[in-house]
Amino acid sequence: MQVRKTSAFALYVGSYLPLGLVMLVQDIDVASVGRGVCAPTGLLHRACGLPFLHPSWSLGTVAVAIACLLVTLWTLRAIGSPHQIRVAEAKHVPADLINYAMPYIVSFMGLDFASPTRLLGFGVFFVWIFWITYRSGQIVMNPILIVFGWRLYEIKYSYLQSVEPLVGRALSRQHVGPNKIYRMGSLQDVIIIRELEQGGTNG
């Protein structure tokens, strides 16, 4: 299954939710927090404001990232798995999934909504890395998926109708072991593996 550029961009943005949360925390107005908690009625009557220096930017960034992460989870759930494969070898490679976006997140923890030139530079970098990731076929490699039970594997497999060995990277919410049959779909160059339904052939 190939994804359109707009959908791929949404999948990519979701992987930067940790950066959005870091920037949200850095945008907290300490002086405002020190004056006490603002009641919801105060917000409605504009008697007080949210305790952020740039609330529209900081809250908006987190909201967009959360929405894009939900798109990612929905996309993975919606992918069909019409093929059956027999896995000969499976190796869990969690570090590859963790390392996918974390270096970029750490590199830009110093971003500030009050520094438009830094934000602009990050925007150029962000789009450039997205394009590289999209062209590489690894757009679904989101380290936050680990939190939702997804695991990354390197597998050696073959289709049931063929004996030709193939090698690929697979995401699955189940433990993937050798000498077992699974249902398979794909998103760009990443395989999505699911267990057989009841009554399926295994072994």
Side-chain angles (χ1 to χ4, degrees):
M1 173 183 174
Q2 294 295 324
V3 291
R4 295 181 179 179
K5 293 183 181 66
T6 51
S7 300
F9 191 72
L11 300 183
Y12 181 72
V13 171
S15 67
Y16 280 81
L17 176 59
L19 175 60
L21 294 174
V22 168
M23 296 182 69
L24 177 69
V25 172
Q26 292 179 340
D27 197 53
I28 292 176
D29 184 356
V30 179
S32 176
V33 173
R35 290 192 292 269
V37 179
C38 182
T41 54
L43 290 173
L44 291 175
H45 295 92
R46 296 186 178 181
C48 55
L50 294 170
F52 299 101
L53 298 172
H54 309 88
S56 298
W57 279 99
S58 56
L59 294 175
T61 298
V62 171
V64 169
I66 290 175
C68 290
L69 179 60
L70 293 176
V71 169
T72 300
L73 297 175
W74 178 85
T75 300
L76 289 172
R77 186 180 181 87
I79 292 172
S81 47
H83 306 291
Q84 291 190 10
I85 59 172
R86 184 184 300 275
V87 174
E89 299 176 11
K91 177 184 177 183
H92 183 213
V93 284
D96 288 1
L97 192 56
I98 293 171
N99 292 336
Y100 171 67
M102 292 306 172
Y104 310 131
I105 292 172
V106 173
S107 298
F108 287 94
M109 286 181 64
L111 279 175
D112 187 347
F113 289 117
S115 302
T117 53
R118 287 189 180 184
L119 290 175
L120 182 60
F122 173 71
V124 173
F125 175 86
F126 190 80
V127 172
W128 181 248
I129 296 298
F130 159 72
W131 186 247
I132 293 173
T133 307
Y134 176 76
R135 295 294 294 178
S136 72
Q138 307 294 315
I139 201 68
V140 74
M141 300 287 280
N142 184 338
I144 304 178
L145 293 177
I146 296 173
V147 177
F148 296 93
W150 289 88
R151 308 178 81 188
L152 179 66
Y153 293 87
E154 288 181 355
I155 62 171
K156 183 177 181 180
Y157 67 100
S158 61
Y159 291 96
L160 293 190
Q161 302 83 359
S162 171
V163 295
E164 180 183 358
L166 301 169
V167 177
R169 288 190 162 193
L171 283 171
S172 178
R173 294 193 68 184
Q174 294 82 32
H175 173 73
V176 177
N179 303 316
K180 293 184 178 180
I181 297 174
Y182 297 92
R183 294 184 295 125
M184 186 204 83
S186 64
L187 184 61
Q188 287 194 313
D189 294 340
V190 179
I191 299 167
I192 309 298
I193 288 182
R194 297 185 175 96
E195 291 182 337
L196 289 174
E197 292 101 342
Q198 292 292 332
T201 304
N202 208 344

